[in-house]
Each structure stands twice: as structure tokens, then as C-alpha cells.
Amino acid sequence: MYDTAIYGAGPAGLSAALYTLRKNMKTALISKDIGGQVITTWDVENYPGFKKIGGYDLSKKMEEQITQFPIALDEGVSLVKLEKKSVFEAHLDNGKVLKSKTVILALGKKYQELGVKGEKKFTGKGVSYCSTCDAPLFKNKTTVVAGGGNAAAEALLELSKIASKVYAVIRKEHFRADPVLIQKIEETKNIEILFNHSIQEISGNEFVEKVMIQKKDTNEVKTLETDAVFVEIGLVPNTSFECVPSLTINDQKEIRVNNKGETNIKGLFAAGDVTDIPEKQIVIAAGEGAKAALSAFRYLQNQ
Ligand SMILES: Cc1cc2nc3c(=O)[nH]c(=O)nc-3n(C[C@H](O)[C@H](O)[C@H](O)COP(=O)(O)OP(=O)(O)OC[C@H]3O[C@@H](n4cnc5c(N)ncnc54)[C@H](O)[C@@H]3O)c2cc1C
């Protein structure tokens, strides 16, 4: 039986673990991966203490800091169902059931999918959700970026320096990105902007070869030949696991927490991007993780 079980090992979960371990709480940390979104980030320039650090290196440092303590760290494992009985019982995708007195959910966010035909089939074969990770694979190739926000704008600019041609496929009739990014895009010769268009299908043989796009007002359909599709349409919280009793979430499926990181269920805390706290940043997730850990500690003290 653990004092606390932390699910998710991004900055929120790793920071929470650091705090629970330093309070001598018996801690389990269960996660699909270690580092979360940070390992998909090339360089981080806004984490205090580092002028610039690679996302992978920053995650590694956080991991090294917690593994100096006795921790039950299980990587490559997912939380499937969480129940509160006399204690918390977490059902994991490896078939195990993990019991703990408190739980900290630090499950973060994942990339939103387009939900079109061919997307799943070609994921990793031309369909990518991370331009920072995969743009270098498409040197002198043709690429498509779906989305009109800041993430899409940054992907367009990054790809324009590597690929020979980049199509911007945007559902709305304008960008939602920062003006400074839009201006740069408009000045970049190898970016072709297609407003009012949505991707209908991604096709190819072994790898992506084509996307079918449709114009919103006329329903006109056309095919773009491309080697890659970068899906940059935002992130969704990882709240699809089953929870009994139910967690209170907002309309964006983020877990509602108060300023102590407490959820609507006693003994169950949440931190970082999976919650409704404003601003999704590494330093904020780490801070919220620390706060949830200290709240879990005080909760146990008062039992
Ligand atoms: C491309 C990119 C660049 C970014 N650049 C910056 C930047 O420069 N500076 C900055 O401050 N922020 C940046 N961010 C935002 C920052 O990375 C996030 O705010 C931060 O990682 C959130 O931390 P988190 O721990 O809450 O969630 P995450 O980092 O999302 O971690 C969640 C963890 O939970 C795990 N998980 C999910 N579901 C389950 C499950 N069911 N069971 C078990 N484990 C699960 C995941 O595998 C992951 O390890 C960037 C984000 C992206 C995508």
C-alpha cells in the first residue's frame, strides 16, 4: 500500500514525486512515458535556472533527481480505471491493481487528432503530431500542416526552412496565431495558405502520398500531393480513463481543482495540464505538482 500513487510523469508528476519522496511518503509513479510533452520539445528557454536546455535533458534531470530516493517507478504503464473504496484502487493496463491512500493525477495532455480516414494508418509514416520532432525527416519534401493556431504557425515556419513546399490547410478564414507569426508566414515564399479548407482523407501506399481537402463554402474537393501531414490542431487532456466516483471536469474535459490541487474526491489531487489551471507551461505544471504533493501530505497528516 502506497501513501500516494502519482499517475503521469511529465513535469507535474515528476515534481509531485520529488515533494512526496522528500516527505518520506511511500510513493509510486506510474506513467506511459517519462517527460511527457517536454520530451517532444526541442529547446526550453523559459525554465528557471537554464538559459536553454533540451526538453529531453530537462526531463532526464528531473528523473535523476527523484530516482535518488526509493520510488516505485513504472514506465510504459497506463491508468485505465480508478476507484475509491476504503483506499484508492487503480487498474493498470498491465493487469495490476495498485492501492494507495492518496492519488495525484498528472496525466497532462495529448495531441488532438483530425479523425479522418487514413490518419491512424499513416501515423509515423508521414502523419505527425510533432513538427519539432519530425520536421527534419522531410528535407526538400512537400508537407501539409493542418491548423491555424500558434502551434500550426510555428510548425509552418519550422517546416518552411526544411521542406521545399509547405501547404497550410486552415478550416477558418483566418489564422488564430500571434500577429508576429502570421506576418512571418505571409513573407515566406514556400508556404501556400489554403483558408476555409479541411482535410477529408490521407492516402498513400506505405507512406503518405496525398491528402484530399475540401473547401467549406463550395464543397469543392481537391488533392494535394504531399510526403507528410503535420496535425497541429491543439491538445486534449488525458481524462479518458474511467473514474468511480466521477471526477468533476470542465467543458474542455480538464479536471477541476481548487487552489490546493484538490479535486471533488477526497484524497484525490490533480496537477498540471490535465487540470483547469490557466496557462500550460512546464514551470507552472511543476509548481502545481509540488502543491498537489504537499496537499496530499497534509491530507494524510489530518487523517
Ligand atoms: C511541442 C511543445 C513545446 C512546448 N514548449 C514549451 C516551452 O518551451 N516551455 C514551456 O514552459 N512549456 C512548453 N510546452 C508545454 C509544456 O510541455 C506542458 O505545459 C507541460 O509538459 C505539462 O506538464 P504535465 O506534467 O502537466 O503534462 P505532460 O507533460 O503532458 O505529461 C503527462 C504525463 O502523463 C502520462 N500519461 C498520460 N495518460 C496516462 C495514463 N492514462 N496513464 C499513465 N500515464 C499517462 C504521459 O505519458 C506523460 O508522461 C510545450 C508543449 C509542446 C507540446
Side-chain angles (χ1 to χ4, degrees):
M1 163 81 74
Y2 292 93
D3 292 325
T4 196
I6 301 166
Y7 298 95
L14 290 165
S15 166
L18 179 63
Y19 274 74
T20 59
L21 290 164
R22 284 172 53 84
K23 290 287 186 194
N24 283 332
M25 290 167 71
K26 192 176 173 199
T27 302
L29 177 57
I30 311 296
S31 189
K32 281 187 196 171
D33 61 51
I34 297 188
Q37 293 167 62
V38 183
I39 44 174
T40 68
T41 309
W42 194 248
D43 279 325
V44 177
E45 298 184 1
N46 54 5
Y47 194 78
F50 301 97
K51 271 191 197 153
K52 186 196 260 196
I53 182 164
Y56 177 81
D57 293 340
L58 181 58
S59 300
K60 214 62 205 154
K61 282 185 186 297
M62 290 184 186
E63 183 186 349
E64 281 162 12
Q65 200 173 2
I66 60 160
T67 48
Q68 63 179 318
F69 299 97
I71 180 170
L73 177 58
D74 223 344
E75 190 184 353
V77 181
S78 286
L79 170 67
V80 177
K81 182 177 177 183
L82 183 64
E83 287 180 286
K84 188 177 182 191
K85 296 183 174 167
S86 57
V87 294
F88 288 96
E89 292 188 10
H91 300 257
L92 308 177
D93 67 351
N94 61 5
K96 289 188 185 158
V97 177
L98 196 136
K99 293 187 181 181
S100 61
K101 294 176 196 163
T102 62
V103 162
I104 299 172
L105 296 174
L107 300 167
K109 289 198 166 179
K110 65 172 181 196
Y111 293 104
Q112 181 151 9
E113 294 173 5
L114 287 168
V116 299
K117 195 170 168 202
E119 182 179 15
K120 280 207 164 40
K121 179 178 172 192
F122 291 105
T123 295
K125 295 177 177 174
V127 173
S128 169
Y129 299 86
C130 178
S131 61
T132 316
C133 320
D134 295 338
L137 302 174
F138 298 96
K139 194 167 171 26
N140 298 328
K141 306 253 174 165
T142 302
T143 60
V144 166
V145 174
N150 277 335
E154 279 170 16
L156 283 169
L157 291 169
E158 193 173 4
L159 280 160
S160 69
K161 294 182 197 126
I162 296 167
S164 54
K165 168 97 186 175
V166 193
Y167 291 102
V169 178
I170 300 161
R171 276 205 335 207
K172 300 212 162 123
E173 55 193 14
H174 52 80
F175 277 103
R176 285 174 293 107
D178 295 340
V180 60
L181 295 175
I182 298 173
Q183 192 188 335
K184 279 189 197 163
I185 289 167
E186 287 168 349
E187 288 164 3
T188 306
K189 290 212 167 57
N190 64 343
I191 298 178
E192 184 176 335
I193 304 168
L194 298 158
F195 289 122
N196 277 319
H197 279 82
S198 60
I199 293 180
Q200 301 296 309
E201 186 179 339
I202 301 167
S203 59
N205 287 308
E206 201 184 337
F207 296 96
V208 169
E209 290 172 14
K210 290 174 190 165
V211 295
M212 194 171 87
I213 60 169
Q214 186 172 37
K215 196 153 191 271
K216 208 160 70 182
D217 41 2
T218 61
N219 287 338
E220 182 198 343
V221 171
K222 66 178 167 189
T223 300
L224 302 175
E225 300 212 342
T226 183
D227 300 289
V229 181
F230 285 84
V231 182
E232 299 283 352
I233 55 172
L235 297 159
V236 283
N238 290 313
T239 44
S240 59
F241 67 94
E242 193 185 339
C243 190
V244 185
S246 297
L247 271 169
T248 303
I249 54 172
N250 66 12
D251 55 4
Q252 287 160 59
K253 299 197 171 146
E254 295 168 332
I255 301 170
R256 281 197 190 280
V257 286
N258 64 14
N259 63 9
K260 294 179 185 154
E262 294 169 334
T263 68
N264 59 305
I265 300 169
K266 289 258 174 290
L268 177 50
F269 304 84
D273 280 18
V274 77
T275 70
D276 63 348
I277 51 129
E279 311 304 347
K280 313 299 189 200
Q281 289 286 285
I282 301 167
V283 66
I284 293 170
E288 293 289 315
K291 196 163 66 179
L294 293 173
S295 296
F297 174 69
R298 284 193 218 303
Y299 171 84
L300 285 181
Q301 272 190 324
N302 294 332
Q303 288 302 294

